[in-house]
Amino acid sequence: MTPYTLNGLLIKIDNVSLTLGGRQILRNVNAEIHDIVRPGVTQGQIVGFLGPSGVGKTKLFEIMAGLLKPTSGEVRLGPEQKPVVTGRVGVVQQNYPLFNHRTVWSNLMLAAAMNGRESGAKGRVTEMLERFRLMPQKDHYPSQLSGGQRQRIAIAQQLLCSETFLLLDEPFSGLDPNMTEAVSKMLVEIANQKEDNTIIIVSHDLVATAAISDTLWVMGRDHEPDGTVVPGGYIKHNFNLIERDLAWEMEVQNKPRFIELIQELRALFPTL
């Protein structure tokens, strides 16, 4: 197993519950993400967030992003463990929303100027365009971009707003195998650009998500002995892929222990 240590706490979901319209959606959700430190390597964090439809992933996603206030509990960020607020976490939605009447450059300048960060905006936007290899498209409008280019712009936009924490909703949806591989490599590259970079991927694609994650959160609900569902989803299983020797490996999908992990996850889903 690759040597590593856990440093400071980056994200803490502390006993989060949510009730909407008298219906319990989330129940006592707890989870932590620490800064993973590896000797001689800049190592960010990638957490895969899995679970069946309707279990509450979207609502927890919104709470982690500061877009929805829980009924009880809270999400805290960074070494200082401050409660999450809107704009602290970048959110990349599945449809990659951009302003269609603005060029790529204009979209990113707007993001860079948010939260009082006008100073140095041009330099940060230029850096992002070069990092994502999109400088040739800087004067294009969103309608002139491919789906992959729109996704990269949407990620760059959110990094300019939030700098460290990034939530992605179904980043592999509708992608062919080649594009899935390209997006996977891009996310790993982004995570590892800064030590405290933390990416949380909400996805139904078990294989692509597990292949680049160091941690997997699997949401589920409890059941009564007669099979009745107990209301309120929570992070029921936490898989440490580092300890399983499944993190930070090229072509890990072909390894027998990874195939066993996917089989384990698929067998778990009917119980969630």
Side-chain angles (χ1 to χ4, degrees):
M1 185 180 71
T2 305
Y4 76 101
T5 57
L6 295 181
N7 206 347
L9 193 59
L10 297 177
I11 298 178
K12 183 174 180 64
I13 303 172
D14 190 7
N15 215 34
V16 165
S17 293
L18 178 69
T19 301
L20 293 174
R23 177 168 167 255
Q24 184 147 31
I25 309 298
L26 300 172
R27 177 168 55 88
N28 302 333
V29 184
N30 290 281
E32 295 181 350
I33 300 174
H34 290 259
D35 177 19
I36 297 168
V37 178
R38 295 171 63 195
V41 176
T42 301
Q43 181 63 60
Q45 294 65 232
I46 300 181
V47 178
F49 186 20
L50 310 171
S53 298
V55 78
K57 294 193 306 298
T58 299
K59 293 305 178 187
L60 185 55
F61 182 102
E62 292 172 358
I63 290 170
M64 285 191 289
L67 303 173
L68 178 65
K69 185 175 176 59
T71 305
S72 61
E74 65 179 355
V75 175
R76 298 190 294 272
L77 302 179
E80 68 281 7
Q81 285 294 282
K82 291 183 179 179
V84 67
V85 294
T86 304
R88 186 84 190 276
V89 176
V91 178
V92 181
Q93 297 172 326
Q94 196 171 342
N95 57 353
Y96 318 131
L98 299 169
F99 290 108
N100 289 322
H101 65 287
R102 290 177 176 269
T103 64
V104 166
W105 177 266
S106 181
N107 266 286
L108 295 184
M109 281 294 293
L110 186 65
M114 289 181 66
N115 301 324
R117 294 174 181 157
E118 291 90 349
S119 177
K122 288 184 179 179
R124 292 200 303 278
V125 169
T126 298
E127 179 188 351
M128 281 290 177
L129 287 169
E130 290 173 346
R131 182 191 303 180
F132 287 94
R133 296 180 290 277
L134 286 164
M135 190 60 80
Q137 287 77 34
K138 73 181 184 69
D139 295 322
H140 290 188
Y141 289 89
S143 61
Q144 297 173 289
L145 303 174
S146 68
Q149 289 169 337
R150 284 175 63 90
Q151 184 184 51
R152 280 182 281 160
I153 291 296
I155 292 173
Q157 179 188 57
Q158 293 304 317
L159 286 172
L160 285 165
C161 292
S162 62
E163 296 183 344
T164 299
F165 303 106
L166 194 61
L167 274 167
L168 292 103
D169 184 19
E170 297 289 353
F172 308 115
S173 179
L175 301 183
D176 63 36
N178 288 338
M179 276 304 299
T180 297
E181 183 177 355
V183 169
S184 296
K185 288 180 179 178
M186 177 181 66
L187 294 178
V188 171
E189 181 181 312
I190 293 167
N192 293 339
Q193 284 172 347
K194 288 173 59 183
E195 183 65 35
D196 55 355
N197 276 1
T198 303
I199 297 176
I200 301 175
I201 300 169
V202 180
S203 178
H204 286 99
D205 190 326
L206 303 185
V207 175
T209 303
I212 63 171
S213 297
D214 49 71
T215 302
L216 291 179
W217 292 343
V218 182
M219 278 195 79
R221 290 172 290 202
D222 289 332
H223 296 76
E224 300 288 3
D226 63 359
T228 304
V229 174
V230 177
Y234 66 101
I235 297 173
K236 197 170 182 179
H237 303 277
N238 190 321
F239 290 80
N240 185 332
L241 301 188
I242 308 171
E243 296 295 325
R244 290 181 175 228
D245 205 17
L246 289 171
W248 317 316
E249 286 198 37
M250 298 293 291
E251 299 182 0
V252 70
Q253 298 97 317
N254 300 324
K255 299 185 181 296
R257 61 183 180 276
F258 182 84
I259 296 169
E260 290 171 5
L261 169 69
I262 299 303
Q263 291 171 341
E264 183 179 351
L265 289 169
R266 286 177 174 152
L268 193 61
F269 260 64
T271 72
L272 300 174

